[in-house]
Amino acid sequence: MRVKHMIACVGLLAGALVGVASPTAQAAPTRYEAETSPAVCSGTIDSNWSGYSGSGFCNGANSTSGYAQFTVNASAAGTATVGIRFANGSTTARTADLVVNGTTAQALSFEGTGAWSTWATRTVSVAVKAGSNTIRLSPTTSGGLPNVDHLDVEAGGGTNPQPPGGIVGWATQAGGTTGGAGGTTVTVSTFADLRTQAQASGTRTILVNGMISGSGTVEISANKTIRGVGANSGISGTTLNIEDMHPANVVIQNLNIRGVLGNDAIQVENATHVWIDHNTLSSTVATDPDQYDGMIDMTHAADYITVSWNVIRDHWKTSLVGHSDGNASEDRGHLRITYHHNWFDRTFERSPRVRFGETVHVYNNYYSNVRNNADSYAIASTMDAGVLVEGNVFENVQQACWSASGYADSDPGRLVARNNSFTDSGPCETNGAVAAVPYAYTAEDVGAVKSSVTAGAGAGRL
């Protein structure tokens, strides 16, 4: 298992051993502990469950009055990314309003984490003013809040940074991907309206206003863009399904998306030309890796897809490419997918796991805290897939890549690595050569990737 260096993207790609320096460090988010003044806990500060940071956690009263409030600072007005670390050992989700500077910004649901000693992070984006801000979690049911450990806050300033370029990668090929551009634009705020508009024929852009929840599947028909309004809109409880269309020509953008119990959050099957961009996707890391299925799964000869500038965190089975070892006849020559400038945080496997696809291009992504146990890994190339892993940052990752060893019951794949950075991480195993990608792209220097991705990825960063 060694890191290899790839030649230029023209022609066939093969490896040569290099050493890569760690990227320039970026300032960490500011942490605000629930037990430390000026935070206020309307309940008790406890320490009877393990796994918390600091000296304790907020155990709010079991009523709608059991709030937790934090005072956070921002150098300038803008958008802040807030990570709420919590534990909910009950089997019932606990709901709360997120109140920023006295105004309700959005409704949140804190699902069960399996035990009071099992902590998860719920990430949201909020608008803040320059200087001091109050962020309050106000429960909306008599069960009160989950236990709250701390907030991690990256406070924005001015306008959100604009990531370079527009659509890049495989979704630009064979006619490109435009979604609902040139069609009508509609705004939806209920699950029923979202489902109706997504299934309707014709070219249209569907703007999702607010957080929408529903069950079952939203079938998306061809030539659609589904885009969130602002930083706090999105979808939970449902699968976005793109299936049996050539081309599908679908764009999913700027949404907060929650993992779906027992199902995929975004599912692409036997469909081509899809762009999944600038979304924030998360679930709750439970003790059972099968509690949720995939976050973004692409199977049955799905093709010409770009997954870019997304934040994906707190999930086990992140992104599967090719659903089984026995599907070579359908999948070979397809499953051409680009992953770039995504932030994979606490995603314990399949980021991605690839069967048969070539070339799957994984470049300029940031992987952090992929270390739940000895089996955790970031990328796997299996069943003779061809994967190019280029200019990515791996921090605290158990195993960066598998290829020559195969993975689980799957045969080995091919993988070429170039200019990746490793900090407290296992190696990227390489194997063989990989076909070149046909599209133009510019890979950032690996030293700039962490800063670029953490500043530009996720909902609200367009």
Side-chain angles (χ1 to χ4, degrees):
M1 301 178 188
R2 292 291 185 270
V3 182
K4 294 190 176 182
H5 177 49
M6 184 193 72
I7 64 173
C9 67
V10 178
L12 293 180
L13 308 171
L17 185 65
V18 296
V20 182
S22 299
T24 303
Q26 182 194 358
T30 301
R31 176 160 295 178
Y32 297 89
E33 295 285 354
E35 73 276 13
T36 304
S37 178
V40 178
C41 172
S42 180
T44 60
I45 300 299
D46 292 345
S47 58
N48 56 318
W49 297 108
S50 63
Y52 58 85
S53 63
S55 59
F57 54 85
C58 175
N59 180 0
N62 290 337
S63 70
T64 54
S65 63
Y67 67 88
Q69 180 170 296
F70 299 80
T71 300
V72 307
N73 296 307
S75 59
T79 299
T81 300
V82 179
I84 306 163
R85 192 166 190 256
F86 71 96
N88 179 9
S90 70
T91 57
T92 302
R94 300 197 172 193
T95 58
D97 287 334
L98 180 69
V99 182
V100 180
N101 297 324
T103 300
T104 300
Q106 58 183 290
L108 301 179
S109 179
F110 297 96
E111 287 84 357
T113 58
W116 290 107
S117 58
T118 300
W119 299 85
T121 300
R122 180 81 161 85
T123 303
V124 297
S125 296
V126 299
V128 294
K129 63 183 181 180
S132 179
N133 297 263
T134 60
I135 297 179
R136 181 177 178 129
L137 297 171
S138 294
T140 54
T141 66
S142 60
L145 293 172
N147 290 342
V148 179
D149 184 18
H150 62 244
L151 301 189
D152 282 334
V153 180
E154 293 179 82
T159 58
N160 290 318
Q162 293 297 312
I167 186 170
V168 178
W170 278 112
T172 66
Q173 299 299 287
T177 304
T178 57
T184 59
T185 299
V186 297
T187 300
V188 300
S189 57
T190 69
F191 182 71
D193 285 346
L194 170 63
R195 179 177 268 175
T196 296
Q197 294 295 334
Q199 292 175 351
S201 61
T203 302
R204 67 188 64 192
T205 294
I206 303 165
L207 301 180
V208 175
N209 188 15
M211 285 300 299
I212 293 174
S213 63
S215 60
T217 300
V218 174
E219 303 289 345
I220 303 173
S221 65
N223 306 314
K224 298 293 186 296
T225 292
I226 301 179
R227 178 183 297 127
V229 175
N232 300 314
S233 296
I235 301 166
S236 65
T238 187
T239 298
L240 299 178
N241 188 49
I242 305 163
E243 187 172 2
D244 297 333
M245 294 179 287
H246 304 85
N249 191 33
V250 169
V251 176
I252 298 174
Q253 194 172 53
N254 201 47
L255 294 171
N256 294 281
I257 297 174
R258 287 288 294 164
V260 182
L261 291 171
N263 289 294
D264 298 336
I266 299 175
Q267 178 175 277
V268 185
E269 291 190 358
N270 188 32
T272 70
H273 297 89
V274 177
W275 185 26
I276 301 168
D277 176 67
H278 274 95
N279 303 287
T280 297
L281 306 99
S282 64
S283 66
T284 301
V285 175
T287 55
D288 179 6
D290 295 320
Q291 182 171 348
Y292 297 87
D293 205 344
M295 194 64 85
I296 305 173
D297 280 9
M298 292 158 284
T299 60
H300 292 285
D303 219 350
Y304 299 117
I305 299 169
T306 294
V307 180
S308 60
W309 295 101
N310 300 285
V311 175
I312 309 173
R313 55 169 44 109
D314 295 332
H315 197 78
W316 282 90
K317 298 179 176 181
T318 309
S319 190
L320 184 65
V321 178
H323 74 287
S324 75
D325 291 353
N327 206 48
S329 60
E330 182 181 25
D331 286 342
R332 285 194 189 279
H334 304 289
L335 299 174
R336 287 167 285 196
I337 299 165
T338 303
Y339 295 82
H340 74 88
H341 291 92
N342 301 287
W343 183 1
F344 297 97
D345 179 43
R346 299 187 77 236
T347 56
F348 294 145
E349 58 182 78
R350 303 184 183 182
S351 299
R353 177 182 177 179
V354 185
R355 296 177 172 99
F356 303 113
E358 187 174 9
T359 294
V360 175
H361 189 190
V362 183
Y363 79 93
N364 285 166
N365 300 282
Y366 173 40
Y367 294 86
S368 60
N369 305 312
V370 183
R371 195 187 289 274
N372 185 64
N373 55 38
D375 295 325
S376 299
Y377 71 93
I379 302 163
S381 176
T382 66
M383 303 307 298
D384 198 39
V387 180
L388 168 58
V389 178
E390 177 181 17
N392 302 282
V393 174
F394 299 91
E395 290 187 354
N396 192 32
V397 176
Q398 181 72 22
Q399 177 78 25
C401 314
W402 293 113
S403 59
S405 300
Y407 181 76
D409 294 329
S410 298
D411 293 339
R414 290 168 288 116
L415 188 147
V416 169
R418 176 188 182 183
N419 293 343
N420 300 288
S421 170
F422 305 85
T423 302
D424 296 326
S425 297
C428 186
E429 184 182 57
T430 60
N431 190 40
V434 176
V437 295
Y439 49 80
Y441 70 101
T442 300
E444 284 187 271
D445 182 270
V446 72
V449 167
K450 178 179 177 179
S451 176
S452 177
V453 169
T454 56
R461 302 297 179 93
L462 284 172

